[in-house]
């Protein structure tokens, strides 16, 4: 049976925790959240490259590159929920998504 995204990101989180066991837990959590920002920066750089808005670099990326970088942002954020110690990241995210969607969709109906 195929693993779901939350199981895979849980494995990644465990791997990263083992690989950085020499770093205090508090710092590992902080660094993981900062990693989301790093990945977002790469996504932004890809958008600039896909639109050719940096005259020095021109068209340096494709929209496929942008998609891959956005996926990296999502994976990194999912790993962060695990590494922050959330007991059930999938349930927590699902509840948050429903709440956020309800607010946004209610505004559409207003």
């Amino acid at each position: 049976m195929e693993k779901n995204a939350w199981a895979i990101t849980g494995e990644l989180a465990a791997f990263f925790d083992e690989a950085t066991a020499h770093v205090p837990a508090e710092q590992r959590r902080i660094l993981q959240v900062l990693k989301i920002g790093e990945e977002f920066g790469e996504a932004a750089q890809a958008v600039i490259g896909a639109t050719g808005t940096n005259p020095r670099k021109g068209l340096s990326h494709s929209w496929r590159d942008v998609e891959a970088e956005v996926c990296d942002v999502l994976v990194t954020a999912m790993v962060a929920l695990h590494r922050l110690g959330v007991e059930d990241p999938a349930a927590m995210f699902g509840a948050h998504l429903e709440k956020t969607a309800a607010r946004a969709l209610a505004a559409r109906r207003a």
Side-chain angles (χ1 to χ4, degrees), residues 56-68:
R56 200 170 40 83
K57 294 183 180 179
L59 290 170
S60 59
H61 291 75
S62 69
W63 284 102
R64 287 277 182 217
D65 295 326
V66 175
E67 293 165 3

Side-chain angles (χ1 to χ4, degrees), residues 47-101:
V47 168
I48 291 167
T51 58
T53 52
N54 181 338
R56 200 170 40 83
K57 294 183 180 179
L59 290 170
S60 59
H61 291 75
S62 69
W63 284 102
R64 287 277 182 217
D65 295 326
V66 175
E67 293 165 3
E69 294 298 344
V70 169
C71 285
D72 286 347
V73 173
L74 292 170
V75 169
T76 303
M78 291 172 76
V79 168
L81 286 178
H82 287 282
R83 293 187 83 194
L84 287 170
V86 174
E87 187 174 324
D88 186 347
M92 187 247 189
F93 177 75
H96 186 83
L97 178 60
E98 286 180 20
K99 187 171 133 184
T100 301

